[in-house]
Amino acid sequence: MAHEEFSIYQSYQEFLQSDPDMSMPVAAVQSLVEFIRQSQASTMSEFVVMVRDAAQVLKSSARNSVSLAAGCDLFMQAVTRMADANVEECRQNLINRGTKFVEKAASCRESIAELGEPFIRDDSTILVHSYSRVVMTLLLRAAAHNRRFRVYVTEARPINSGYRTAAQLRQAGIPCTVVLDCAVGYIMEEVDFVLVGAEGVVENGGLINQIGSYQISIVAKAARKPFYAVAESYKFVRLFPLNQFDLPTHTAQILSFDSPQSVASPSPSLSDTNSMELDGAALDLAKTNPEVDYTPPSFITLLFTDLGVLTPSGVSDELIKLYY
Amino acid sequence: MVKDVNFLVEDLVAKLKRRQITGSYTIALETAKLLRQIISVTRWSTAGALIDRIKQEGCRLVAAQPKDVVVANIVRRVLHIIREVYTENRDAVDEDDGTILAAAPVAPQALLQPQQPSFSIHSSMFPLLGDHADLPADYTRPVHNLKSEIIQEIQEYIEELENMYSNVSSQAMDHIHSNEVIMTCGYSKTVESFLKFAAKKRKFKVIVAECAPTFQGHQTALALTAAGIDTTVIPDASVFAMMARVNKVILGTSAILANGGLIALSGTQTMVEAAKHHSIPVIVCAGLFKLSPVFPFDEESLSTEVSPDSVLDFTKGHFISEVEVINPFSSYVDPSFIDLFITNLGGHPPSYLYRLLNENYDAEDTYLLKS
């Protein structure tokens, strides 16, 4: 049977690589569409079980599955809603809808940029964290409409994605500077507002995003600066984390204390700061450090989504509409 | 006929420009009545044409007093009513033979299936989960009886506006308790009626900041003492000192923005900051027509400054050329200082306002002047 040879995770990876602008939930939906295209279920219940298993495989194979899970859940919701149709009808319908969804997903960022654009005033200074496609769309659109603003970009260690943001912004003629993650407090008084993307937006309106977002939101709140999150509505996930350790990405290995005896290599001392050695240490650190963190809704001023500009409690409302 | 309408619009535009009508309530009522008039006397065949017409006249009114958000709110509300009436009637009646189509074949099926939530077509989830039959309305189909239905709905809205004060103040008993000390500032008709309503049954004290140099606070004090409420007028500088003995701050506003921020009399900001310091709840009373779907993109542009004559008399100071005198009238207040909004629909926290916005306005009307 064809579907047994079909690896959903591999297909997902291929979709992600083929289009650098594609975000994880969209790739997840596209690979699930590909999966049902190749599947040969004869009854509806078999079909549902197969799709559910495939979504499960997909979720468990990625290390950071928050955003991916959002896409899978959305697709599963579409499957359950069609559960009273016959298999062939349902399959065709899902393929159509899924394909349309993938086509429309790209234009969705444009509509967010349109909503968010008036928030970017002339002569404002914006702090951006890490790299986010939807934040980039917003900033580039504002620049294309002759808004003049400056951008501070955090370096976002250890993946250093801030440099990518900075390079793209400079190319568009937007003045920008990369700041160290630990310099956020230093520059906050210069900043008019903070703009971050999202891996996922959770049920209480909180945010799951690249590590460091939470601490930036705390600094912004202390300095009474607005903290805006930008997210497509397909990133809304059915999670209700109460703290960092509630996140699905948290594992026992993350930042655990090891016994003093078992420490094999001592941390590099200042005297022998050799760049090679530090890179190695950074790599080790990345393995034992979290990739994403959770920002509670009380730290978020507004969310720019394709459903409109929402307060965090607006997100809960939309999620209830989606899965009630 | 068309000439008549033009004349009426010109008249209101001139009044707005010259500030011959002030007070958001009067402006709201005048605008709503004018728009009702336009709908009834002009010729139009489809809802789409009517929407364009209202937008066009609405823009003229908004441009007359661009800082006043109320005019735009009423225009948006009327547009929303037109759309709603159109979509309701379009599905119910088929124009050719006048028979009811939708009711007979669909209803039994619809009853069996659980009601699916509708997603806006702007939503990214729409292609996957949305119902494709529910595409955006085109507003071009002629609909029977549309005009009378729209006018009836607008009439209801005008009545809602007229009952606004009593609807807000009837909630006063839930918020004002015996022997409480209430602080307010300036003059707001909504707050006045709110306090007077509570005074019918309860005894409480009111402290009013006078709000120099307009001294609107004196007006409030006069009105409240006439109703038998124990009222104290204080200078604006004493707001912080007096705040410690206050139980609640109840304020009026000239506009509520989409994020829950206010455009309110200057002096409001001082009062809410003091209230926050003492952890005293801040309640804002306002009719729903003051709620605007616009966000405070540029906070500085929202404040108004008026003639400085009342701060420093032109005739008195020989040093008038040496000093800069400013007289701020209203300014922006951040939503984080406000605990509760009381509108004619009930009490809402600032985070809930987006919901009221979605129920009362259409997203496509948010920027009237742009389109």
Side-chain angles (χ1 to χ4, degrees), chain A residues 233 306 311 313 317 321-322 324, chain B residues 115 117 124 129 297 351 354:
Chain A
S233 59
D306 44 306
T311 51
S313 44
D317 236 42
K321 263 200 225 167
L322 187 55
Y324 62 100
Chain B
Q115 193 75 46
S124 66
L129 297 173
F297 301 120
S351 60
Y354 76 93

Side-chain angles (χ1 to χ4, degrees), chain B residues 22-23 26 165 184-193 195-196 206-229 231-234 236 265 329:
Chain B
T22 49
T26 336
Y165 289 120
T184 185
C185 78
Y187 178 79
S188 153
K189 203 174 166 199
T190 323
V191 173
E192 186 201 321
S193 65
L195 294 173
K196 276 184 177 169
V206 177
I207 300 173
V208 191
E210 59 178 5
C211 276
T214 53
F215 300 109
Q216 288 188 5
H218 296 180
Q219 196 187 340
T220 308
L222 208 63
L224 295 182
T225 35
I229 302 171
T231 313
T232 313
V233 177
I234 56 163
D236 302 319
L265 209 62
F329 181 76

Side-chain angles (χ1 to χ4, degrees), chain B residues 90-284:
Chain B
R90 176 201 56 185
D91 304 332
V93 181
D94 185 54
E95 201 52 31
D96 295 327
D97 52 3
T99 49
I100 295 167
L101 275 184
V106 183
Q109 235 181 342
L111 282 176
L112 289 173
Q113 280 169 358
Q115 193 75 46
Q116 296 286 2
S118 59
F119 292 95
S120 87
I121 33 161
H122 306 292
S123 162
S124 66
M125 294 180 273
F126 182 76
L128 198 55
L129 297 173
D131 208 344
H132 284 272
D134 204 22
L135 283 167
D138 55 357
Y139 301 111
T140 52
R141 275 169 56 178
V143 173
H144 189 58
N145 255 350
L146 187 61
K147 190 171 195 165
S148 61
E149 295 250 358
I150 290 175
I151 288 175
Q152 195 189 332
E153 284 290 317
I154 292 176
Q155 190 54 40
E156 269 169 36
Y157 179 58
I158 290 174
E159 274 159 29
E160 187 190 313
L161 280 178
E162 281 164 346
N163 294 330
M164 192 271 301
Y165 289 120
S166 64
N167 285 339
V168 174
S169 57
S170 61
Q171 301 165 59
M173 290 303 174
D174 302 334
H175 299 280
I176 298 175
H177 308 293
S178 283
N179 294 322
E180 276 192 334
V181 180
I182 311 287
M183 192 186 265
T184 185
C185 78
Y187 178 79
S188 153
K189 203 174 166 199
T190 323
V191 173
E192 186 201 321
S193 65
F194 192 79
L195 294 173
K196 276 184 177 169
F197 189 89
K200 283 183 195 159
K201 283 203 183 142
R202 307 232 160 103
K203 271 192 85 65
F204 56 92
K205 284 184 184 149
V206 177
I207 300 173
V208 191
E210 59 178 5
C211 276
T214 53
F215 300 109
Q216 288 188 5
H218 296 180
Q219 196 187 340
T220 308
L222 208 63
L224 295 182
T225 35
I229 302 171
D230 181 352
T231 313
T232 313
V233 177
I234 56 163
D236 302 319
S238 318
V239 164
F240 189 84
M242 297 293 277
M243 192 57 81
R245 65 186 73 178
V246 168
N247 297 100
K248 260 177 207 113
V249 173
I250 299 182
L251 297 166
T253 179
S254 48
I256 305 170
L257 301 171
N259 64 342
L262 309 177
I263 302 176
L265 209 62
S266 57
T268 306
Q269 180 74 37
T270 329
M271 193 166 280
V272 295
E273 293 258 8
K276 182 132 201 162
H277 181 86
H278 290 282
S279 298
I280 287 160
V282 175
I283 297 176
V284 173

Side-chain angles (χ1 to χ4, degrees), chain A residues 201-207 294-297 300 303 311-316 319:
Chain A
V201 179
V202 297
E203 271 181 280
N204 57 4
L207 192 69
Y294 160 64
T295 307
I300 301 164
L303 294 121
T311 51
S313 44
V315 172
S316 326
L319 269 163

